[in-house]
Amino acid sequence: MDATTALGQTNDIMNGVIAGLRPEHREQSTPCKEWTVHEVLEHVCQGGHHIAGGLRGQAPPAEAPDYLAEGPAVGWADTYATLQAVATPEILGATHQMPFGEVPGEAALSVIAADHLVHAWDVATATGQSIEIPDELAEWALQTWKMVVPAEGRTGPGFADAVPIADDAPVANRLIAYTGRQP
């Protein structure tokens, strides 16, 4: 699976999760312990725009706009469209300077798509929604994270150390456990 395909599948999942949101979900805590539902969605949109900007050779804005000003559905749709616009063979095949280092465009898009997938699970879990992550997508995201994030010694918001899980557990559960969440 490539990053563009994964991003498209993640878009479908995120759209389903966002469609299930109600106003009272906004301040609910999430499995991503540092953030509420609103803060996770803001992180997702901000991260997507920052990666897209980096792929265009732009620095992140000094002050990020409120990507959710018109609601999560509009904010996510804009984020996804912005990422799609930079997912060209030329951009994805080139090397780009990102805040986390110099990387191929395909790798940068992979990291943000994998991030969005895990955060879709965070929001779904926090709001009592079921979420179906196809095995191929979950395996792709798990391998993406294993390439860029060690299982232990993590610092910063978003990911705790990997949670122990059986090797034969469903791949979506192994993905969630690898990102420091209890499936």
Side-chain angles (χ1 to χ4, degrees), residues 51 54 65 69 121 123-124 126 144 163:
I51 292 295
W121 182 90
V123 172
T144 296
V163 172

Side-chain angles (χ1 to χ4, degrees), residues 14-35:
M14 186 66 84
N15 280 328
V17 170
I18 289 172
L21 294 178
R22 297 187 311 272
E24 61 268 23
H25 292 144
R26 179 184 166 101
E27 298 305 320
Q28 282 185 252
S29 61
T30 67
C32 190
K33 297 184 185 342
E34 299 87 357
W35 295 324

Side-chain angles (χ1 to χ4, degrees), residues 30-49:
T30 67
C32 190
K33 297 184 185 342
E34 299 87 357
W35 295 324
T36 65
V37 166
H38 180 81
E39 290 167 333
V40 167
L41 292 170
E42 184 66 31
H43 163 77
V44 163
C45 292
Q46 186 176 54
H49 282 276

